[in-house]
Amino acid sequence: DADVTQTPRNRITKTGKRIMLECSQTKGHDRMYWYRQDPGLGLRLIYYSFDVKDINKGEISDGYSVSRQAQAKFSLSLESAIPNQTALYFCATSDSGSRGRLEQYFGPGTRLTVT
Amino acid sequence: AQSVTQLDSQVPVFEEAPVELRCNYSSSVSVYLFWYVQYPNQGLQLLLKYLSGSTLVKGINGFEAEFNKSQTSFHLRKPSVHISDTAEYFCAVSVVGGTASKLTFGTGTRLQVTL
């Protein structure tokens, strides 16, 4: 089984709808991240969480919110989806150990299309 | 703030030929450097990382990279590529210190290996 899972893998939704993307991990890591990937722009950080009670905005958090329900679960919500939020979304985890925190482990991605 | 530049968006190469993917970074503080690979329809996985010590870093699948502080570069090389190396490659940096696990990615280089 994959260490970092994301659901759904693909989603098509309409403008204005609320949508939640979910991420679960079995690696026992305390740090989790949400990125979006757009062609030609690479990956950009949306939110990150260093533990259950610590959530921080990344470089492009507008229009998004997150919830860290447990150490293993980190959800990303789009309160009112808009077409320019069409992208590939990745969840990642890392360990807070002195060296381990430097490597991130990525989920398979969720392809979101907003029409 | 730090930034990463990958000047080549696409690099076509024949199988068994050598390849170099270029990465330059900008930062006012010390950084850690990473190369991640994304195979089609998959998440990212770590190829190699530079934390400290020897400037020549060896990674998985025969890849290596050299950290050049004076030129602020971290170019990725492989002496002989295989068809299976076709993928997108991302260079990333993080700052040395408390938020070292926050990564800033470049825009990616698509390596296309053909027969």
Side-chain angles (χ1 to χ4, degrees):
Chain A
D1 288 339
D3 295 320
V4 184
T5 57
Q6 293 183 234
T7 55
R9 293 294 312 279
N10 288 281
R11 181 71 182 266
I12 300 174
T13 191
K14 293 185 183 298
T15 298
K17 293 291 187 181
R18 183 179 189 277
I19 183 168
M20 179 182 288
L21 309 182
E22 298 186 342
C23 176
S24 295
Q25 53 110 348
T26 58
K27 298 189 75 64
H29 290 169
D30 48 354
R31 300 184 173 196
M32 298 186 74
Y33 313 80
W34 276 105
Y35 295 91
R36 65 176 281 174
Q37 182 181 17
D38 299 277
L41 296 180
L43 278 78
R44 293 178 290 167
L45 183 64
I46 306 172
Y47 271 93
Y48 62 102
S49 170
F50 282 178
D51 65 41
V52 174
K53 296 182 180 179
D54 179 70
I55 292 178
N56 305 277
K57 293 182 178 180
E59 58 182 298
I60 54 163
S61 59
D62 287 349
Y64 301 95
S65 62
V66 291
S67 172
R68 186 82 184 267
Q69 302 95 323
Q71 185 185 44
K73 296 184 182 296
F74 193 36
S75 300
L76 176 72
S77 293
L78 288 68
E79 298 301 325
S80 180
I82 56 177
N84 77 358
Q85 291 178 313
T86 292
L88 187 55
Y89 290 84
F90 285 104
C91 174
T93 73
S94 70
D95 179 52
S96 60
S98 59
R99 291 297 192 182
R101 72 175 187 265
L102 299 176
E103 178 172 352
Q104 293 188 17
Y105 295 82
F106 285 78
T110 293
R111 186 167 297 281
L112 176 66
T113 303
V114 183
T115 62
Chain B
Q2 61 277 7
S3 65
V4 178
T5 301
Q6 293 180 249
L7 287 173
D8 304 308
S9 60
Q10 296 188 64
V11 173
V13 63
F14 290 112
E15 192 175 36
E16 298 183 4
V19 70
E20 177 180 85
L21 305 184
R22 297 181 294 168
C23 172
N24 289 88
Y25 69 92
S26 173
S27 177
S28 58
V29 298
S30 297
V31 296
Y32 300 121
L33 293 153
F34 307 81
W35 275 100
Y36 280 82
V37 60
Q38 183 182 27
Y39 297 106
N41 300 312
Q42 295 186 27
L44 281 72
Q45 65 181 88
L46 184 68
L47 263 183
L48 48 79
K49 60 187 176 186
Y50 171 78
L51 305 182
S52 63
S54 173
T55 58
L56 183 63
V57 179
K58 293 190 183 298
I60 62 172
N61 301 338
F63 284 93
E64 63 181 32
E66 185 154 20
F67 171 54
N68 188 318
K69 188 174 182 179
S70 63
Q71 297 190 9
T72 60
S73 68
F74 190 54
H75 300 332
L76 181 70
R77 301 185 184 98
K78 186 170 183 178
S80 177
V81 296
H82 189 268
I83 288 284
S84 60
D85 292 323
T86 294
E88 188 148 23
Y89 293 78
F90 292 95
C91 183
V93 300
S94 67
V95 297
V96 175
T99 57
S101 58
K102 280 183 60 183
L103 294 174
T104 299
F105 285 88
T107 53
T109 297
R110 185 169 299 279
L111 177 63
Q112 181 67 50
V113 182
T114 55
L115 295 172

